[in-house]
Amino acid sequence: EALVEMIIGLAERDSSLFRKLDVAATTTGAGAASLAARLRWAIDAATRTRGFIDYGEVGGWAAGVDDVLDSLAGLAAAGHPAQALELAEHAIDGIEAAMEAIDDSNGECGALLDRARDIHLAAARAVQPEPIDLAGELFVRETAGEYDTFYRASRLYEDVLGEAGLAEYRRLALEAWAKLPPRSGQAQSSYDGRYNTLKDILDFFSERAGDT
């Protein structure tokens, strides 16, 4: 009891310690459904910005998000990989949305996105989701995402996608490539980020097939 009182007293004066204890309590003794709901709430609370966050405040905000990612990272090992997969996607969405109101000159948000993506990848390896569906979800995130969180996803998730998922990924890329305007004349003067993204994806499949 004396130790509990000491820790509570410290947490009242140390916001970082308070966040860590709060997230740890969230993940203790809960069933799968309850655990997912509590962590989803913790992600929402951590990624909320409440106005613009300037350069000097980003560190504290990022530390709070990182504390929640600590809990997500342990979910798969604790027997909840499916929840970790879903919540990692939710965390990525929350961080990306928050970046519109953050001065990320120091790249802390980018580091958080990389970590959340790595948690997502580890969970996907544990869950082994349906490869065709996974390919579709990753393709949309890679080609439509604003922050390159899933840049080169076909390479990163190659072992999870398997041959079926990779074939679907290539099909989606070829289909999207065929819809792009030719890069000649006036079209060549306007930049279209989809061109380079799809070219990189198709280069990967050409290299993989030994047909560069």
Side-chain angles (χ1 to χ4, degrees):
E1 291 179 0
L3 288 173
V4 169
E5 290 181 8
M6 290 173 62
I7 292 172
I8 290 174
L10 289 170
E12 289 174 345
R13 298 190 297 272
D14 184 337
S15 59
S16 177
L17 175 59
F18 181 86
R19 285 193 304 266
K20 290 178 180 179
L21 292 174
D22 187 45
V23 172
T26 295
T27 59
T28 300
S34 176
L35 177 61
R38 291 183 186 182
L39 277 175
R40 181 176 288 269
W41 177 89
I43 291 167
D44 291 342
T47 56
R48 192 175 297 120
T49 56
R50 296 186 179 87
F52 187 79
I53 300 177
D54 62 27
Y55 181 83
E57 300 174 316
V58 175
W61 178 87
V65 178
D66 205 41
D67 289 342
V68 177
L69 293 181
D70 283 341
S71 295
L72 294 187
L75 274 183
H80 302 290
Q83 286 77 14
L85 185 68
E86 177 185 347
L87 290 168
E89 293 176 359
H90 188 64
I92 288 167
D93 292 340
I95 296 166
E96 289 184 340
M99 287 179 71
E100 298 177 6
I102 290 176
D103 178 356
D104 191 36
S105 302
N106 206 32
E108 289 174 283
C109 290
L112 289 172
L113 285 174
D114 286 345
R115 188 181 182 203
R117 194 268 330 285
D118 289 344
I119 293 170
H120 183 271
L121 174 57
R125 284 175 173 153
V127 174
Q128 290 293 309
E130 203 285 319
I132 305 299
D133 291 343
L134 178 63
E137 293 167 7
L138 292 176
F139 181 79
V140 170
R141 285 186 175 273
E142 180 174 9
T143 56
E146 186 176 352
Y147 298 105
D148 291 334
T149 307
F150 285 88
Y151 176 61
R152 294 191 166 183
S154 54
R155 293 168 171 83
L156 287 172
Y157 288 77
E158 182 176 3
D159 57 322
V160 185
L161 288 165
E163 292 303 321
L166 289 168
E168 174 66 5
Y169 215 103
R170 180 176 181 273
R171 185 192 70 77
L172 291 169
L174 286 170
E175 184 179 85
W177 178 269
K179 295 178 181 178
L180 289 179
R183 291 190 55 149
S184 60
Q186 184 156 356
Q188 194 170 16
S189 65
S190 60
Y191 175 76
D192 189 336
R194 294 174 301 169
Y195 180 89
N196 287 333
T197 299
L198 291 170
K199 184 172 75 69
D200 185 71
I201 293 171
L202 293 172
D203 280 350
F204 163 67
F205 285 108
S206 294
E207 293 162 7
R208 194 171 184 271
D211 186 20
T212 55

